[in-house]
């Protein structure tokens, strides 16, 4: 319904409840997730599409990559896609 971006946003939001650990900067997904993993879970054929979407989220300051893990800085941005 929301396309590739919406699928990734919803996937990231759902990871919060499964692996999220709050810290002073945001919510750290305490598990290494590769672009290939995300593509597989979201039904996207290439990791390049995932990379492009994640780069957009980094530019919007929604996420940041820390030690190969995803730090979610703005979960409210992702929430509408998970509902």
């Amino acid at each position: 319904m929301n396309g590739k971006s919406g699928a990734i946003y919803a996937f990231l939001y759902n990871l919060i409840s499964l692996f999220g650990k709050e810290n002073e900067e945001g919510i750290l997904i305490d598990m290494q997730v590769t672009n290939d993993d995300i593509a597989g879970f979201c039904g996207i054929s290439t990791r390049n599409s995932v990379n492009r979407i994640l780069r957009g989220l980094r530019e919007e300051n929604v996420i940041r990559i820390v030690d190969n893990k995803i730090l979610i800085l703005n979960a409210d941005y992702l929430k509408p896609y998970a509902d």
Side-chain angles (χ1 to χ4, degrees), residues 8-79:
I8 291 173
Y9 297 172
F11 178 73
L12 291 175
Y13 189 81
N14 289 327
L15 286 179
I16 292 171
S17 62
L18 297 171
F19 303 104
K21 298 204 177 181
E22 287 193 46
N23 64 27
E24 61 277 350
E25 296 182 61
I27 303 168
L28 179 68
I29 304 303
D30 197 18
M31 181 181 113
Q32 290 185 0
V33 182
T34 66
N35 290 356
D36 285 327
D37 294 335
I38 295 171
F41 277 107
C42 296
I44 299 171
S45 60
T46 67
R47 63 185 173 92
N48 292 331
S49 295
V50 174
N51 187 42
R52 180 179 42 81
I53 293 166
L54 292 180
R55 184 177 50 241
L57 288 174
R58 285 193 305 270
E59 290 171 358
E60 293 288 325
N61 290 319
V62 176
I63 67 168
R64 191 168 68 214
I65 306 301
V66 177
D67 297 328
N68 294 322
K69 296 179 182 176
I70 299 171
L71 176 65
I72 298 178
L73 304 171
N74 185 357
D76 292 334
Y77 184 94
L78 304 171
K79 186 175 184 198

